[in-house]
Amino acid sequence: TQLLEQSPQFLSIQEGENLTVYCNSSSVFSSLQWYRQEPGEGPVLLVTVVTGGEVKKLKRLTFQFGDARKDSSLHITAAQPGDTGLYLCAGPPSSNTGKLIFGQGTTLQVKP
Amino acid sequence: NAGVTQTPKFQVLKTGQSMTLQCAQDMNHNSMYWYRQDPGMGLRLIYYSASEGTTDKGEVPNGYNVSRLNKREFSLRLESAAPSQTSVYFCASTPLAGVWEQFFGPGTRLTVL
């Protein structure tokens, strides 16, 4: 069974700090996605990483896909209160059954 | 475009009552999904429909039924609600099975007393 494990599960930081969230698996994924979910809303896709070693930047957010395609990280520089939310990584199963695999999520709170 | 819409937004049921959660998308997507979200457990797939006319079980299908009414609509039914079904339910869609970007609705917050 393919699993995605995220760490940390909870993170509470002050505005302006940097942070990194990790998404790890023992299995190889063809791609990994990162979603952000704000309180009271559904998840929204931030990025998809496809190539091993790939780095994508979205303003203050940097996403990296591990060389072996078994892990990914999300780094936020100078966090802002607007970054508060639940961050989920997700990946397609090797069986290609149409069921996306989600990590359990990292809850981020950025205090002003 | 409204994207993915869900009704109702909130619902309180008593144990044993039944209800149907409605989901519709206006993006002409083929595949639709129902998830539940519980604290610390991420998103768990209940049922999905790869295309109109097909449905398949996900990770936690017990106690639920689904209907893919047409290409736009995918409903989730609780026949006899139980407190363990208290959760936030999300509907999602993708253009095609195998296209992994999922578009989510705003969720239905269900409490079963």
Side-chain angles (χ1 to χ4, degrees):
Chain A
T1 303
Q2 288 180 285
L3 294 174
L4 286 169
E5 296 186 0
Q6 290 186 236
S7 61
Q9 197 169 358
F10 300 101
L11 198 52
S12 181
I13 61 172
Q14 294 295 132
E15 182 176 1
E17 293 183 1
N18 302 331
L19 66 114
T20 303
V21 176
Y22 299 93
C23 175
N24 295 301
S25 176
S26 59
S27 305
V28 173
F29 282 85
S30 59
S31 64
L32 282 178
Q33 300 176 342
W34 285 93
Y35 291 81
R36 178 167 67 200
Q37 182 180 11
E38 298 186 12
E41 299 183 7
V44 175
L45 180 69
L46 294 174
V47 76
T48 300
V49 286
V50 179
T51 306
E54 182 177 7
V55 176
K56 281 192 174 179
K57 292 191 176 183
L58 191 65
K59 296 183 181 178
R60 294 176 293 100
L61 279 60
T62 301
F63 304 86
Q64 187 162 6
F65 200 12
D67 290 341
R69 291 186 288 125
K70 292 183 177 181
D71 57 87
S72 181
S73 63
L74 158 60
H75 182 79
I76 301 180
T77 303
Q80 298 177 359
D83 296 325
T84 292
L86 177 68
Y87 289 82
L88 294 157
C89 66
S94 56
S95 61
N96 201 31
T97 57
K99 304 176 190 179
L100 197 61
I101 298 167
F102 282 90
Q104 77 273 36
T106 295
T107 299
L108 171 64
Q109 181 186 44
V110 182
K111 301 175 185 176
Chain B
N1 285 352
V4 179
T5 57
Q6 293 183 237
T7 56
K9 195 163 181 64
F10 300 94
Q11 184 71 48
V12 179
L13 293 177
K14 294 181 180 178
T15 297
Q17 288 185 319
S18 62
M19 80 161 295
T20 300
L21 281 64
Q22 306 287 354
C23 173
Q25 52 88 13
D26 61 3
M27 296 175 284
N28 200 34
H29 285 176
N30 283 310
S31 301
M32 298 184 73
Y33 307 79
W34 276 106
Y35 293 91
R36 60 177 289 172
Q37 186 175 45
D38 303 290
M41 302 192 75
L43 288 163
R44 292 186 291 170
L45 183 65
I46 304 171
Y47 271 94
Y48 73 105
S49 172
S51 60
E52 186 179 356
T54 68
T55 61
D56 206 349
K57 294 179 180 179
E59 182 184 355
V60 288
N62 291 344
Y64 305 95
N65 285 299
V66 291
S67 295
R68 184 75 184 266
L69 304 170
N70 48 55
K71 190 172 185 178
R72 290 186 63 249
E73 298 172 288
F74 189 36
S75 63
L76 178 71
R77 183 160 178 84
L78 287 69
E79 291 291 351
S80 178
S84 61
Q85 293 178 305
T86 293
S87 188
V88 182
Y89 291 85
F90 289 99
C91 177
S93 69
T94 60
L96 290 169
V99 174
W100 302 107
E101 178 183 1
Q102 301 217 336
F103 294 80
F104 285 85
T108 294
R109 283 142 188 83
L110 175 66
T111 301
V112 183
L113 303 175

Coordinates of all heavy atoms in Angstrom, one line a residue, chain B residues 18-70:
Chain B
S18 N -31.8 9.6 7.4 CA -31.2 9.5 6.1 C -31.1 10.9 5.5 O -31.9 11.8 5.8 CB -31.9 8.6 5.2 OG -33.2 9.1 4.9
M19 N -30.1 11.1 4.6 CA -30.0 12.3 3.8 C -29.1 12.1 2.6 O -28.4 11.1 2.6 CB -29.5 13.4 4.7 CG -28.0 13.4 4.9 SD -27.3 15.0 5.4 CE -27.7 16.1 4.0
T20 N -29.3 13.0 1.7 CA -28.5 13.0 0.5 C -27.7 14.3 0.3 O -28.3 15.4 0.4 CB -29.3 12.8 -0.8 OG1 -30.0 11.5 -0.7 CG2 -28.5 12.8 -2.0
L21 N -26.4 14.1 0.1 CA -25.5 15.3 -0.1 C -25.4 15.4 -1.7 O -25.1 14.5 -2.4 CB -24.1 15.1 0.5 CG -23.9 15.3 2.0 CD1 -24.7 14.3 2.8 CD2 -22.5 15.2 2.3
Q22 N -25.6 16.7 -2.1 CA -25.6 16.9 -3.5 C -24.3 17.6 -4.0 O -23.7 18.4 -3.2 CB -26.8 17.8 -3.9 CG -28.2 17.4 -3.4 CD -28.7 16.2 -4.2 OE1 -28.1 15.8 -5.2 NE2 -29.8 15.6 -3.8
C23 N -23.9 17.2 -5.2 CA -22.7 17.8 -5.7 C -22.9 18.0 -7.2 O -23.4 17.1 -7.9 CB -21.5 16.9 -5.5 SG -20.0 17.4 -6.3
A24 N -22.5 19.2 -7.7 CA -22.6 19.4 -9.2 C -21.3 20.2 -9.6 O -20.8 21.0 -8.9 CB -23.8 20.2 -9.5
Q25 N -20.9 19.9 -10.8 CA -19.8 20.6 -11.4 C -20.2 21.1 -12.8 O -20.8 20.4 -13.6 CB -18.5 19.8 -11.4 CG -18.6 18.4 -12.0 CD -18.3 18.4 -13.5 OE1 -17.8 19.3 -14.1 NE2 -18.6 17.2 -14.1
D26 N -19.7 22.3 -13.2 CA -20.0 22.9 -14.5 C -18.8 23.0 -15.4 O -18.7 23.8 -16.3 CB -20.7 24.2 -14.3 CG -19.8 25.2 -13.6 OD1 -18.6 24.9 -13.3 OD2 -20.3 26.4 -13.4
M27 N -17.8 22.1 -15.1 CA -16.5 22.2 -15.9 C -16.4 21.1 -16.9 O -15.3 20.9 -17.5 CB -15.3 22.1 -14.9 CG -15.3 23.3 -13.9 SD -14.0 23.1 -12.7 CE -14.8 21.9 -11.6
N28 N -17.5 20.4 -17.1 CA -17.5 19.3 -18.1 C -16.5 18.2 -17.8 O -15.9 17.5 -18.7 CB -17.3 19.8 -19.5 CG -17.8 18.8 -20.6 OD1 -18.8 18.1 -20.4 ND2 -17.1 18.7 -21.7
H29 N -16.3 18.0 -16.5 CA -15.3 17.0 -16.0 C -16.0 15.6 -16.1 O -17.2 15.4 -15.8 CB -14.9 17.3 -14.6 CG -13.9 18.4 -14.5 ND1 -13.4 18.9 -13.3 CD2 -13.3 19.1 -15.5 CE1 -12.5 19.8 -13.6 NE2 -12.5 20.0 -14.9
N30 N -15.1 14.6 -16.4 CA -15.7 13.2 -16.4 C -15.7 12.5 -15.1 O -16.5 11.8 -14.8 CB -14.8 12.4 -17.4 CG -15.1 12.7 -18.9 OD1 -16.3 12.7 -19.3 ND2 -14.1 13.0 -19.6
S31 N -14.7 12.8 -14.3 CA -14.5 12.0 -13.0 C -14.9 12.9 -11.8 O -14.6 14.1 -11.7 CB -13.1 11.6 -12.9 OG -12.7 10.8 -14.0
M32 N -15.6 12.2 -10.9 CA -16.0 12.9 -9.7 C -15.8 12.0 -8.5 O -15.8 10.8 -8.6 CB -17.5 13.3 -9.8 CG -17.8 14.3 -10.9 SD -19.5 14.8 -11.0 CE -19.6 15.9 -9.6
Y33 N -15.6 12.7 -7.3 CA -15.2 12.0 -6.1 C -15.9 12.5 -4.9 O -16.3 13.7 -4.8 CB -13.7 12.2 -5.9 CG -12.8 11.9 -7.1 CD1 -12.7 12.8 -8.1 CD2 -12.1 10.7 -7.1 CE1 -11.9 12.5 -9.2 CE2 -11.3 10.4 -8.2 CZ -11.2 11.3 -9.2 OH -10.4 11.0 -10.3
W34 N -16.1 11.6 -3.9 CA -16.6 12.0 -2.6 C -15.5 11.6 -1.5 O -15.1 10.5 -1.5 CB -17.9 11.3 -2.2 CG -19.1 12.0 -2.7 CD1 -19.9 11.7 -3.8 CD2 -19.6 13.3 -2.2 NE1 -20.9 12.6 -4.0 CE2 -20.7 13.6 -3.0 CE3 -19.3 14.1 -1.2 CZ2 -21.5 14.7 -2.8 CZ3 -20.1 15.3 -1.0 CH2 -21.2 15.5 -1.8
Y35 N -15.1 12.6 -0.7 CA -14.2 12.4 0.4 C -14.8 12.8 1.7 O -15.7 13.6 1.7 CB -12.9 13.3 0.2 CG -12.1 13.0 -1.0 CD1 -12.3 13.6 -2.2 CD2 -11.0 12.1 -0.8 CE1 -11.4 13.4 -3.3 CE2 -10.1 11.9 -1.9 CZ -10.4 12.5 -3.1 OH -9.5 12.2 -4.2
R36 N -14.3 12.2 2.8 CA -14.6 12.8 4.1 C -13.3 13.2 4.7 O -12.2 12.6 4.5 CB -15.3 11.8 5.0 CG -14.6 10.5 5.3 CD -15.5 9.6 6.2 NE -15.5 10.1 7.6 CZ -16.2 9.6 8.5 NH1 -17.0 8.6 8.3 NH2 -16.2 10.2 9.8
Q37 N -13.4 14.2 5.6 CA -12.2 14.8 6.2 C -12.4 14.8 7.7 O -13.4 15.5 8.2 CB -11.9 16.2 5.7 CG -10.6 16.7 6.2 CD -10.2 18.1 5.6 OE1 -11.0 18.9 5.4 NE2 -8.9 18.2 5.2
D38 N -11.6 14.1 8.4 CA -11.7 14.1 9.9 C -10.3 14.6 10.4 O -9.3 14.4 9.8 CB -12.0 12.7 10.4 CG -13.2 12.2 9.8 OD1 -14.3 12.7 10.2 OD2 -13.2 11.3 8.9
P39 N -10.3 15.2 11.6 CA -9.1 15.8 12.2 C -8.0 14.8 12.2 O -8.1 13.7 12.7 CB -9.5 16.2 13.6 CG -11.0 16.5 13.5 CD -11.5 15.5 12.5
G40 N -6.8 15.2 11.7 CA -5.6 14.3 11.8 C -5.6 13.1 10.8 O -4.7 12.3 10.8
M41 N -6.7 13.0 10.0 CA -6.7 11.9 9.1 C -6.7 12.3 7.6 O -6.9 11.4 6.7 CB -8.0 11.1 9.4 CG -8.0 10.6 10.8 SD -9.2 9.3 11.2 CE -8.5 7.9 10.4
G42 N -6.5 13.5 7.3 CA -6.5 13.9 5.9 C -7.8 13.7 5.2 O -8.8 13.7 5.8
L43 N -7.7 13.4 4.0 CA -8.9 13.2 3.1 C -9.0 11.7 2.8 O -8.0 11.1 2.4 CB -8.8 13.9 1.8 CG -9.0 15.5 1.9 CD1 -8.5 16.1 0.7 CD2 -10.5 15.8 2.1
R44 N -10.1 11.1 3.1 CA -10.3 9.7 2.8 C -11.4 9.5 1.7 O -12.5 10.1 1.9 CB -10.7 8.9 4.1 CG -9.5 8.8 5.1 CD -9.9 8.0 6.3 NE -10.9 8.6 7.1 CZ -11.5 7.9 8.1 NH1 -11.2 6.7 8.3 NH2 -12.5 8.6 8.8
L45 N -11.1 8.8 0.7 CA -12.0 8.6 -0.4 C -13.1 7.7 0.0 O -12.9 6.5 0.4 CB -11.2 8.1 -1.6 CG -12.0 7.9 -2.9 CD1 -12.5 9.3 -3.4 CD2 -11.2 7.2 -3.9
I46 N -14.4 8.1 -0.3 CA -15.5 7.3 0.0 C -16.0 6.5 -1.2 O -16.0 5.3 -1.2 CB -16.7 8.1 0.5 CG1 -16.3 9.0 1.7 CG2 -17.9 7.2 0.9 CD1 -17.4 10.0 2.1
Y47 N -16.3 7.2 -2.3 CA -16.6 6.6 -3.6 C -16.1 7.5 -4.7 O -15.9 8.7 -4.4 CB -18.1 6.5 -3.7 CG -18.8 5.3 -3.2 CD1 -19.3 5.2 -1.9 CD2 -18.9 4.1 -4.0 CE1 -19.9 4.0 -1.5 CE2 -19.5 3.0 -3.6 CZ -20.0 2.9 -2.3 OH -20.6 1.8 -1.8
Y48 N -15.9 7.0 -5.8 CA -15.6 7.8 -7.0 C -16.3 7.3 -8.2 O -16.8 6.2 -8.3 CB -14.1 8.0 -7.2 CG -13.4 6.8 -7.8 CD1 -13.0 6.8 -9.1 CD2 -13.1 5.7 -6.9 CE1 -12.3 5.7 -9.6 CE2 -12.4 4.6 -7.5 CZ -12.0 4.6 -8.8 OH -11.3 3.5 -9.3
S49 N -16.4 8.2 -9.2 CA -17.0 7.9 -10.5 C -16.0 8.3 -11.6 O -15.8 9.5 -11.8 CB -18.3 8.6 -10.6 OG -18.9 8.4 -11.9
A50 N -15.4 7.3 -12.2 CA -14.4 7.7 -13.3 C -15.1 8.3 -14.5 O -14.5 9.2 -15.1 CB -13.7 6.4 -13.7
S51 N -16.3 8.0 -14.7 CA -17.0 8.6 -15.9 C -18.5 8.3 -15.6 O -18.9 7.5 -14.7 CB -16.6 7.9 -17.2 OG -16.9 6.5 -17.2
E52 N -19.3 9.0 -16.4 CA -20.8 8.9 -16.2 C -21.2 7.4 -16.4 O -20.7 6.8 -17.3 CB -21.5 9.8 -17.3 CG -23.0 9.8 -17.2 CD -23.6 10.7 -18.2 OE1 -22.8 11.3 -19.0 OE2 -24.8 10.8 -18.3
G53 N -22.0 7.0 -15.5 CA -22.5 5.6 -15.5 C -21.7 4.6 -14.8 O -22.0 3.4 -14.7
T54 N -20.5 5.0 -14.2 CA -19.7 4.1 -13.4 C -19.4 4.7 -12.0 O -19.3 5.9 -11.8 CB -18.3 3.9 -14.1 OG1 -17.6 5.1 -14.0 CG2 -18.5 3.5 -15.5
T55 N -19.4 3.8 -11.0 CA -19.0 4.2 -9.7 C -18.2 3.1 -9.1 O -18.3 1.9 -9.5 CB -20.2 4.5 -8.8 OG1 -21.0 3.2 -8.7 CG2 -21.1 5.6 -9.3
D56 N -17.3 3.5 -8.1 CA -16.4 2.5 -7.5 C -16.2 2.9 -6.1 O -16.2 4.1 -5.7 CB -15.1 2.4 -8.3 CG -14.5 1.0 -8.1 OD1 -14.9 0.2 -7.2 OD2 -13.5 0.7 -8.8
K57 N -15.9 1.9 -5.2 CA -15.7 2.1 -3.8 C -14.3 2.7 -3.6 O -13.4 2.3 -4.3 CB -15.8 0.8 -3.0 CG -17.2 0.3 -3.0 CD -17.3 -1.0 -2.2 CE -18.7 -1.6 -2.2 NZ -18.8 -2.9 -1.5
G58 N -14.2 3.5 -2.6 CA -12.9 4.0 -2.2 C -12.5 3.4 -0.9 O -12.7 2.2 -0.7
E59 N -11.8 4.1 -0.1 CA -11.2 3.6 1.1 C -12.2 3.3 2.2 O -12.1 2.3 3.0 CB -10.2 4.6 1.6 CG -9.4 4.2 2.9 CD -8.5 5.3 3.3 OE1 -8.4 6.3 2.6 OE2 -7.8 5.1 4.4
V60 N -13.3 4.1 2.3 CA -14.2 4.0 3.4 C -15.7 4.1 3.0 O -16.4 5.0 3.3 CB -14.0 5.1 4.5 CG1 -12.7 4.9 5.3 CG2 -13.9 6.5 3.9
P61 N -16.2 3.1 2.2 CA -17.5 3.2 1.6 C -18.6 2.7 2.5 O -19.8 3.0 2.2 CB -17.4 2.2 0.4 CG -16.4 1.2 0.9 CD -15.4 1.9 1.8
N62 N -18.3 2.0 3.6 CA -19.4 1.5 4.4 C -20.3 2.5 5.0 O -19.9 3.5 5.5 CB -18.8 0.6 5.5 CG -18.2 -0.6 5.0 OD1 -18.4 -1.0 3.9 ND2 -17.4 -1.3 5.8
G63 N -21.7 2.3 4.8 CA -22.6 3.2 5.3 C -23.0 4.3 4.3 O -23.9 5.2 4.6
Y64 N -22.5 4.3 3.1 CA -22.8 5.3 2.1 C -23.2 4.6 0.8 O -22.8 3.5 0.5 CB -21.5 6.1 1.8 CG -20.9 6.8 3.0 CD1 -19.9 6.2 3.7 CD2 -21.4 8.0 3.4 CE1 -19.3 6.8 4.8 CE2 -20.8 8.6 4.5 CZ -19.7 8.0 5.2 OH -19.2 8.6 6.3
N65 N -23.9 5.3 0.0 CA -24.2 5.0 -1.4 C -24.1 6.2 -2.3 O -24.2 7.3 -1.8 CB -25.6 4.4 -1.5 CG -25.7 3.0 -1.0 OD1 -25.0 2.1 -1.5 ND2 -26.6 2.8 0.0
V66 N -23.8 6.0 -3.5 CA -23.7 7.1 -4.4 C -24.5 6.9 -5.7 O -24.9 5.8 -6.0 CB -22.2 7.4 -4.8 CG1 -21.4 7.9 -3.7 CG2 -21.6 6.1 -5.4
S67 N -24.8 8.0 -6.4 CA -25.5 8.0 -7.7 C -24.8 9.0 -8.6 O -24.7 10.2 -8.2 CB -26.9 8.3 -7.5 OG -27.6 7.4 -6.8
R68 N -24.3 8.6 -9.7 CA -23.9 9.5 -10.7 C -25.0 9.8 -11.6 O -25.3 9.1 -12.6 CB -22.7 8.9 -11.5 CG -22.1 9.9 -12.5 CD -21.3 10.9 -11.9 NE -20.8 11.9 -12.8 CZ -19.6 11.9 -13.4 NH1 -18.7 10.8 -13.1 NH2 -19.2 12.8 -14.2
L69 N -25.8 10.8 -11.3 CA -27.1 11.1 -12.0 C -26.9 11.5 -13.4 O -27.7 11.1 -14.3 CB -27.7 12.3 -11.2 CG -27.9 12.0 -9.7 CD1 -28.4 13.3 -9.0 CD2 -28.9 10.9 -9.5
N70 N -25.9 12.2 -13.7 CA -25.5 12.6 -15.1 C -24.1 13.0 -15.1 O -23.4 12.9 -14.0 CB -26.4 13.7 -15.6 CG -26.6 14.8 -14.6 OD1 -25.6 15.4 -14.2 ND2 -27.8 15.1 -14.3

